[in-house]
Amino acid sequence: MGVFRGRDGKRLVWTILGLIIAALIGLALFRYVGTLLFAIFVYYATRPLYRWLDRYIDHPNVTTTITILFVIIPMVAIIGYAGIVALRELDQFLAASNLEAYRARFQPYLRLAHQGNIEQLLESFRSGTGSSITEVLRQGLPSAVQQVASIAGFVFSVLARLFLMLTILFYLLRDDHRLRQWFYDSIDHEQRIVDYANDVDDDLETVFVGNLAVILVAAIVAVATYYGLNFLASGGPVVGTPVLLSLLIGIGTLIPAVGMKIVYVPYGLLLLGLAVTTPTPLWHPIAFLILTFVVVDTVPDFFARSLLSARSGIHMGLVLLGYFLGTLAFGWYGLFLGPIVVVLATHFADKIFPDLMDDLFAN
């Protein structure tokens, strides 16, 4: 009858309440685990920049905002630039193929959109070709409304996840020291746990900052290589969009096993197709693939990841295995979860597991 009256009873009640709260929070975060893990990745990748800015800017909110803009502005610029290039490539593809009739239909709208004349664009929808499009919309209005609702739901979902990621990132950057201090106070500064948490924190920063470094090094080397190749090529550039392709190649380094090959191999095959079907010289795709593999893919990846392995206390093979198995087991967010699990497991095996075995066999 006194199970809830003594100290053990109160502890049991509080423990049950804590487990319920933890389960509810875990359930909410599990639905957006990819967003959470991406925020953690960006946090560790940008934390050195935040701490450097914090030395000169005596305002945490401003420092955090500048750090986040450092991530968001390039992301938006890449997406916008990729959209513009995609429109140009579509227009050139339609012009160079047997789809000239489709290009003629889109050309008035593309031209007006490029010029930014919205009034003429709307007027063209009200008359001429636009009237036929309006008639089609009237006939298929129910399905069109359903498609618009579906697109609107997708856009809202993406924006909601982006807002959640930015919110988590903002408070991790600004208040991580408070979270760390709360945790240490809660465990009464147990030395073994503190050492374990500090080692994990340091190595996660090293791994994720190293990933960012690999992206930047690969993109810079690719830009220099492709501009040099275009300069030496006769009869037109080999790479039409060297900056965009280099940025995509840098981002492609995050993909396990395949890496940047997922970007430059299809592009090389596209150049090969153009060389077969057009007067483009055959040496263009061959030179592109060889230089990309040797200079852009092999050299930066080898040196950058070797430097990362030297700075980190974790074997580079384990980190790469974490990326690969994490992605296979958990999907795209395993790209970030895999290295976290590897770091946690490595330091547990190094510092905690031997002590647990000593205590077990000592008893």
Side-chain angles (χ1 to χ4, degrees):
M1 84 182 222
V3 68
F4 293 109
R5 292 184 179 179
R7 183 173 179 180
D8 291 339
K10 293 180 180 179
R11 182 177 300 169
L12 177 62
V13 172
W14 287 117
T15 300
I16 293 175
L17 179 60
L19 290 175
I20 293 174
I21 295 173
L24 292 174
I25 296 175
L27 181 62
L29 291 178
F30 180 76
R31 296 184 59 187
Y32 301 98
V33 62
T35 304
L36 173 64
L37 291 171
F38 185 71
I40 293 175
F41 162 71
V42 180
Y43 160 71
Y44 278 109
T46 58
R47 190 171 69 176
L49 174 63
Y50 172 83
R51 292 179 174 176
W52 180 78
L53 291 174
D54 192 49
R55 301 175 187 172
Y56 305 98
I57 303 176
D58 191 18
H59 200 295
N61 289 339
V62 176
T63 307
T64 306
T65 302
I66 294 175
T67 306
I68 293 177
L69 289 178
F70 173 78
V71 178
I72 296 301
I73 291 178
M75 186 184 304
V76 173
I78 292 174
I79 294 174
Y81 182 50
I84 294 174
V85 172
L87 284 176
R88 293 176 180 173
E89 294 295 331
L90 175 62
D91 186 55
Q92 293 177 4
F93 173 75
L94 294 176
S97 60
N98 295 326
L99 303 175
E100 186 66 30
Y102 295 96
R103 181 171 181 260
R105 291 185 181 181
F106 287 111
Q107 193 61 34
Y109 307 109
L110 291 175
R111 183 174 63 252
L112 291 173
H114 285 308
Q115 295 174 355
N117 196 331
I118 304 300
E119 294 181 357
Q120 294 184 23
L121 183 61
L122 294 176
E123 182 63 27
S124 65
F125 275 102
R126 287 193 289 265
S127 62
T129 310
S131 62
S132 61
I133 297 177
T134 304
E135 185 64 27
V136 171
L137 289 177
R138 289 176 180 174
Q139 294 176 359
L141 186 60
S143 61
V145 171
Q146 185 178 2
Q147 292 179 3
V148 169
S150 177
I151 295 174
F154 173 76
V155 171
F156 176 79
S157 176
V158 172
L159 292 178
R161 292 174 184 272
L162 178 62
F163 176 78
L164 179 60
M165 187 273 291
L166 293 177
T167 302
I168 296 173
L169 176 60
F170 182 90
Y171 288 107
L172 280 178
L173 287 172
R174 197 192 69 174
D175 299 326
D176 58 349
H177 61 286
R178 296 181 182 178
L179 179 63
R180 186 182 297 109
Q181 190 60 43
W182 165 82
F183 177 72
Y184 290 162
D185 291 342
S186 299
I187 62 172
D188 198 22
H189 292 267
E190 173 66 32
Q191 191 60 44
R192 186 163 58 176
I193 300 178
V194 171
D195 292 341
Y196 175 78
N198 286 335
D199 291 340
V200 167
D201 183 66
D202 291 339
D203 276 343
L204 283 178
E205 179 178 311
T206 301
V207 169
F208 287 139
V209 170
N211 285 335
L212 188 61
V214 170
I215 293 174
L216 294 177
V217 170
I220 292 172
V221 172
V223 167
T225 301
Y226 296 149
Y227 271 111
L229 182 61
N230 287 345
F231 178 77
L232 296 176
S234 58
V238 178
V239 181
T241 55
V243 176
L244 177 62
L245 183 63
S246 300
L247 292 174
L248 294 177
I249 281 176
I251 296 173
T253 59
L254 288 174
I255 301 175
V258 179
M260 64 178 71
K261 294 179 181 64
I262 198 172
V263 177
Y264 75 79
V265 169
Y267 192 86
L269 294 177
L270 176 63
L271 292 179
L272 182 61
L274 291 176
V276 173
T277 58
T278 65
T280 302
L282 184 60
W283 70 267
H284 279 193
I286 297 176
F288 170 81
L289 289 172
I290 293 177
L291 283 176
T292 303
F293 177 76
V294 175
V295 180
V296 180
D297 194 349
T298 304
V299 175
D301 186 74
F302 176 78
F303 285 103
R305 294 196 186 277
S306 299
L307 179 62
L308 170 63
S309 179
R311 291 182 56 197
S312 174
I314 300 177
H315 194 278
M316 196 62 226
L318 288 177
V319 177
L320 294 176
L321 193 62
Y323 282 120
F324 185 71
L325 290 180
T327 306
L328 290 179
F330 303 106
W332 71 267
Y333 61 82
L335 183 65
F336 311 112
L337 180 59
I340 294 176
V341 174
V342 166
V343 172
L344 291 171
T346 301
H347 286 291
F348 183 87
D350 183 44
K351 294 180 172 60
I352 306 300
F353 183 76
D355 292 339
L356 292 177
M357 292 298 98
D358 289 341
D359 294 341
L360 177 63
F361 289 110
N363 295 328

